[in-house]
């Protein structure tokens, strides 16, 4: 068997080379699935829907076969037993093999009957949930939700969890590798207390007007503004696109191909603008991953949902809602929307996009209250999985805690525990990654502000490339070489904490409300 050092041009062991080749083929298959899904969400004619489901099912089966192929298991074992390859645990090959093992274990641990029962139950639950939400009828959804949490519990048992841990850890680990419920809880509790206090302070203050957000802005003008911002951010449009859809997303489907989508409404042009900046943050991460050389390898792939979300939130909130950004973007908005913006100025828009308003629906929440929506869901799903909270008591518990954290009464379950798609889709353990993203973003932002003396002046001048490049070298290029917590520590010099996010939100509230 050929062996040698792993410098470029040197020979790598045959088992490692075969493992990487096999993974690249599987990822290529996956990229075709992503392209087909993107088409479904954007340009597919409606009548193609039925056959599209068949196409996707076929591809999903092939992808599952590749991910669980016993040959892959043999190759990973051969690599693990190769002292030359694994001798230095920090080498690229050793890191790759560690992550290949993790993926293989996750893919092979669930029995087929559990996977298919989960798929069946969730597809039924989606339909029932839609109807239950429309009718605001929790009792209708309850039996399926009970079944889903039962299956999630079985799934957690198959995966297993760390000593002194709990079932929730096993599910969270799928989305945020290495994170535990106890760690998340330890960061979320002080955040929740300080956020609730901030909201109470703000609620007693006069609310600045948001009239500037309600000007009429045609979709084509909004699209042109979005493209200007994308280009300035350094998103490579030769290696990506921006299209419209009903649910905005980013798909980093292949090397040289990252697709963003957004949506336009006549009112509130900032929704599309921030939607575009958010997805572009994800897109810059995808474009910054070393995919050309490492497609299919863990080192060419994103590390976690929390880190992915930190990239989108950083651009959307920390850059996009800052006074410095509007110094540059206001004249640009004037250029695209013309007289509609007469009578308004930078000061109005900065205040309008930073208002703090408790509301019922998570996806419409502002930057500050958003995190309370997430913490509520994290606490409830963790308690349900443990058995500490009966599913039958979910709706009532939701109302009680919602009132406690956000200070408003939930009028009905449609605007309460029935609003999100996640639980009906079996996505339990997913919610915390949204707030982890905000926390990581805040901590990165403080580091960036310390290290880049000219960041504010750069942003005011529309010069975003230095920021993109900082993120590229601190986060993007590493792929899954480090787990999220280690990556955060390396980039910021500290463990994840609630303090930077609170300093940021309190600073913004002070600016808007004069606290
Ligand atoms: Zn996102």
């Amino acid at each position: 068997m050929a062996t040698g050092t792993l410098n470029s041009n040197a020979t790598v062991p045959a088992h490692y080379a075969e493992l990487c080749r096999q993974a690249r083929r599987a990822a290529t298959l996956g990229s075709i699935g992503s392209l087909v899904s993107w088409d479904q969400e954007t340009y597919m004619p409606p009548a193609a829907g039925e056959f599209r489901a068949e196409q996707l099912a076929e591809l999903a089966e092939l992808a599952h076969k590749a991910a669980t192929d016993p040959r892959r298991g043999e190759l990973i074992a051969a690599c693990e037993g190769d002292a030359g390859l694994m001798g230095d645990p920090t080498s690229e090959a050793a890191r790759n093999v560690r992550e290949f093992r993790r993926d293989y274990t996750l893919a092979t641990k669930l029995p087929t009957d559990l996977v298919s029962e989960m798929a069946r139950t969730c597809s039924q639950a989606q339909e029932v949930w839609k109807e239950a939400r429309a009718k605001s009828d929790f009792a209708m959804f309850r039996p399926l939700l009970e079944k889903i949490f039962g299956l999630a519990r079985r799934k957690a048992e198959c995966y297993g969890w760390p000593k002194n841990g709990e079932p929730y850890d096993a599910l969270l680990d799928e989305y945020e590798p290495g994170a535990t419920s106890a760690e998340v809880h330890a960061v979320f509790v002080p955040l929740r207390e300080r956020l609730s206090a901030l909201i109470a302070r703000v609620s007693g203050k006069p609310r600045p007007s948001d009239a500037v957000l309600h000007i009429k802005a045609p979709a084509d003008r909004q699209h042109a503004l979005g493209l200007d911002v994308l280009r300035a951010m350094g998103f490579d449009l030769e290696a990506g696109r921006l299209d419209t859809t009903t649910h905005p997303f980013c798909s980093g489907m292949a090397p040289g191909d990252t697709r963003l989508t957004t949506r336009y409404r006549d009112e509130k042009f900032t929704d599309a603008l921030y939607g575009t900046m958010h997805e572009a943050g994800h897109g810059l991460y995808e474009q910054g991953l070393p995919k050309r050389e490492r497609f299919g390898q863990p080192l060419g792939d994103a590390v976690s949902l929390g880190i992915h979300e930190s990239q989108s939130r950083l651009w959307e909130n920390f850059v996009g809602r800052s006074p410095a950004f509007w110094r540059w973007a206001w004249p640009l908005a004037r250029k695209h929307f013309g007289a509609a913006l007469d009578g308004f100025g930078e000061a109005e828009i900065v205040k309008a996009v930073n208002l703090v308003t408790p509301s019922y629906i998570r996806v419409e929440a502002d930057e500050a209250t958003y995190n309370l929506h997430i913490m509520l869901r994290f606490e409830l799903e963790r308690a349900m999985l443990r058995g500490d909270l009966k599913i039958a008591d979910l709706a009532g518990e939701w109302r009680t805690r919602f009132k406690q954290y956000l200070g408003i009464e939930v009028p009905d379950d449609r605007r309460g525990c029935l609003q999100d798609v996640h639980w009906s889709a079996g996505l339990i353990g997913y919610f915390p990654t949204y707030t982890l993203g905000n926390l990581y973003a805040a901590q990165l932002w403080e580091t960036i502000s310390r290290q880049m003396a000219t960041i504010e002046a750069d942003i005011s001048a529309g010069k975003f490339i230095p920021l993109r490049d900082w993120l590229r070298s601190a986060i993007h290029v590493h792929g899954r070489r480090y787990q999220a917590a280690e990556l955060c520590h390396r980039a910021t010099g500290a463990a994840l904490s609630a303090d930077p996010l609170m300093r940021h939100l309190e600073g913004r509230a002070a600016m808007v409300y004069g606290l």
Side-chain angles (χ1 to χ4, degrees), residues 278 282 309 312:
H278 180 101
H282 286 303
E309 195 66 4
S312 56

Side-chain angles (χ1 to χ4, degrees), residues 248-250 278-279 282 305 308-313 316 430 434:
F249 64 92
C250 161
H278 180 101
E279 299 309 333
H282 286 303
L305 290 185
H308 225 307
E309 195 66 4
S310 76
Q311 301 305 292
S312 56
R313 300 286 176 144
E316 175 192 356
Y430 189 111
Y434 293 118

Side-chain angles (χ1 to χ4, degrees), residues 8 80 106 126 141 172 182 196 201 210 222 297 300 304 403 421 429 443 449 451 509:
S8 50
E80 286 167 339
L106 281 180
Q126 299 266 292
F141 182 49
L172 176 62
S196 287
R201 284 215 308 283
D210 65 354
Q222 293 190 46
Q297 297 173 29
S304 73
K403 174 85 209 266
V421 69
Q443 200 153 319
S449 305
Q451 293 181 2

Side-chain angles (χ1 to χ4, degrees), residues 352-363:
V353 299
N354 283 292
L355 291 173
V356 177
T357 316
S359 60
Y360 309 113
I361 305 293
R362 174 183 61 88
V363 295

Side-chain angles (χ1 to χ4, degrees), residues 229-230 233 248-250 260-262 270-285 305 308-317 320-321 370 434 437-438:
V229 174
L230 271 189
M233 285 170 66
F249 64 92
C250 161
L260 313 177
T261 64
T262 194
T270 47
D271 283 357
L273 174 65
Y274 289 131
T276 301
M277 288 183 80
H278 180 101
E279 299 309 333
H282 286 303
L284 287 176
Y285 186 14
L305 290 185
H308 225 307
E309 195 66 4
S310 76
Q311 301 305 292
S312 56
R313 300 286 176 144
L314 190 138
W315 286 100
E316 175 192 356
N317 292 332
R321 294 179 201 274
Y370 186 88
Y434 293 118
N438 288 331

Side-chain angles (χ1 to χ4, degrees), residues 25 64 68 158 182 206 294 366 438 456:
R25 281 204 306 276
H64 180 71
T68 56
C158 292
R294 299 198 172 282
D366 59 72
N438 288 331
E456 212 182 305

